Amino acid sequence: MLRCKQVSKALAEHNYQDLPLHRRVAMYIHIYLCPLCGAYQRRVVTLQNGVRRYLLHEREAPPPKDMRLSEERRKALKQKLHDSSAP
Amino acid sequence: MTTAPDVNPETWVEEHGDYLYRYAYVRVGDRAKAEDLVQETFLAALKALGRYDGRSKVRYWLLGILKHKVVDHYRKSSRETSMEEWSSRDMEDSLMFKVFGLPEDRANSWQFNPRRAFEQSEFWGVFSECLSKLKGPMQQAFTLRELEGFSTEQICKELEITANNLWVMLHRARGQLKECLDTNWIKRNQGK
C-alpha cells in the first residue's frame, strides 16, 4: 500500500495521466480510500487534468478579447516588423 | 531536400500576435511584460528566419521561441527574488509536510464539477485568468511543472531552489488556483 507522502511526491513530479498503469492503479486506490489525503490528491489530479485540457484549448482556440495585444502595441509591433524585415 | 518556406513576417502580428500574447500573459501575469516578450520573440524569429525549415507551422515555431523567452524571464526574476522566502519555511517545517508531504490547509470538499466546466468555453477564459494570477515564484514553479512539463531537476536548476522548495510552491500554487476558481467560477455558477 502506498503512503500519502509517496502519492504527494509522485504528483509533484509527474502528471497523473503520464504515469504507467500499475502506478496509476495503486494511486487511484490510495486516493479514493485515504481519509487523510484522498480529497486533496483528487483535487490535484483534477487541476492537472484541467491544465491538460487547457493546453489543448490554448493551442487551437482564439484568445478571448481581454487576452489580446493592445491596439497600441499591435501597431508598434507591425511597424517594427515592417522596418526590420525591409530589404 | 527541403526548400526555404515562404514566410512573410509582416503578417505575423495579425496571424499569431494574440496567440503569442495569451501564451505569455498566462505565464507571466503582466500585460506589459507579456507584450515585451512577444516583441522579443518576433525579433529573435526574424534573425533566425534562415534556420526555419517549415517542418512545423510558423505559429508553433514562434511559440517555441517564446517558451525560451519565458524561461529566460523566470531565470532572471528568480535571481532577483528570495525564493526561500516564497517557498514558506512554515510549511516545509510542519509535521504534516514532513511526514505526509501535505499542506496543513487542505479543505476537504470542493464543489467543482470538472466534467461540466471543461465543456464550457467560458471556463477556459476563467482558468487562464486564474493561471495568470498565480503569484511570482508559485507561478513560475507551477508553469514549468504543470504547463511545460519540466522535470524537478530542471526546475530546481532554473529557479535555483531545492526539491522541497518546489514541492511547497506547487502546494501553494494549487491552493491559489483553487481559490481563484472558487471565486470566479464556482460561486458565479452556483444555482445555475
Side-chain angles (χ1 to χ4, degrees):
Chain A
M1 180 79 180
L2 282 175
R3 287 181 300 160
C4 299
K5 195 167 185 174
Q6 290 172 297
V7 175
S8 196
K9 188 166 189 290
L11 291 178
E13 294 184 340
H14 306 278
N15 191 300
Y16 175 78
Q17 302 294 345
D18 293 336
L19 290 166
L21 184 64
H22 69 278
R23 288 191 70 190
R24 262 185 290 150
V25 171
M27 280 176 73
Y28 185 89
I29 294 168
H30 183 104
I31 287 173
Y32 278 85
L33 294 178
C34 181
L36 181 68
C37 77
Y40 179 77
Q41 310 290 20
R42 285 198 295 278
R43 195 184 310 154
V44 174
V45 173
T46 299
L47 290 175
Q48 287 186 340
N49 288 339
V51 170
R52 278 172 92 90
R53 293 281 293 267
Y54 170 71
L55 291 174
L56 293 174
H57 172 85
E58 185 182 67
R59 215 174 148 88
E60 303 301 337
K65 280 189 184 135
D66 57 350
M67 271 200 204
R68 294 182 191 167
L69 286 166
S70 61
E71 272 316 305
E72 195 187 336
R73 197 59 179 248
R74 186 187 300 276
K75 271 187 206 159
L77 279 173
K78 279 185 185 172
Q79 190 60 47
K80 221 171 183 72
L81 280 175
H82 176 77
D83 296 344
S84 309
S85 58
Chain B
M1 187 183 140
T2 42
T3 50
D6 184 20
V7 178
N8 178 6
E10 293 203 35
T11 64
W12 286 354
V13 176
E14 280 308 320
E15 288 177 9
H16 314 299
D18 292 331
Y19 282 85
L20 296 182
Y21 171 75
R22 171 177 59 185
Y23 179 97
Y25 177 69
V26 162
R27 286 154 179 80
V28 301
D30 178 278
R31 293 195 171 270
K33 186 70 223 172
E35 288 182 332
D36 288 348
L37 289 169
V38 173
Q39 175 170 315
E40 287 174 30
T41 299
F42 282 143
L43 297 180
L46 267 184
K47 277 191 191 160
L49 201 52
R51 295 200 295 277
Y52 174 62
D53 58 12
R55 267 186 280 187
S56 61
K57 284 186 186 170
V58 173
R59 182 176 302 158
Y60 300 148
W61 177 63
L62 292 169
L63 282 169
I65 298 172
L66 178 55
K67 179 177 165 175
H68 287 289
K69 299 279 171 203
V70 169
V71 176
D72 284 346
H73 166 66
Y74 284 175
R75 198 181 297 125
K76 274 180 217 150
S77 57
S78 76
R79 285 193 195 124
E80 291 158 10
T81 318
S82 165
M83 302 303 266
E84 281 279 321
E85 184 189 317
W86 282 91
S87 82
S88 168
R89 284 229 60 92
D90 286 354
M91 194 193 290
E92 240 176 272
D93 291 340
S94 74
L95 195 64
M96 187 57 78
F97 182 78
K98 281 182 178 164
V99 179
F100 301 105
L102 294 167
E104 298 267 8
D105 172 26
R106 42 175 212 296
N108 272 336
S109 62
W110 195 27
Q111 308 301 321
F112 176 58
N113 180 344
R115 215 170 276 179
R116 194 160 155 240
F118 292 176
E119 295 311 319
Q120 297 179 62
S121 60
E122 312 94 84
F123 173 74
W124 298 115
V126 172
F127 195 76
S128 55
E129 200 59 55
C130 286
L131 288 172
S132 76
K133 287 196 176 104
L134 291 175
K135 293 187 183 104
M138 266 68 77
Q139 181 173 57
Q140 301 174 3
F142 190 83
T143 300
L144 292 177
R145 175 79 283 282
E146 302 288 0
L147 277 77
E148 306 299 351
F150 278 39
S151 69
T152 299
E153 293 72 27
Q154 284 172 302
I155 300 170
C156 292
K157 193 172 151 234
E158 297 293 356
L159 303 183
E160 297 179 12
I161 54 173
T162 66
N164 266 1
N165 293 157
L166 172 62
W167 201 348
V168 166
M169 284 179 187
L170 289 174
H171 280 315
R172 294 187 70 192
R174 290 163 184 157
Q176 288 173 14
L177 193 52
K178 174 190 174 286
E179 208 172 296
C180 183
L181 291 174
D182 281 346
T183 308
N184 296 291
W185 180 260
I186 298 169
K187 283 185 190 154
R188 254 177 34 191
N189 284 274
Q190 262 168 1
K192 276 193 187 173

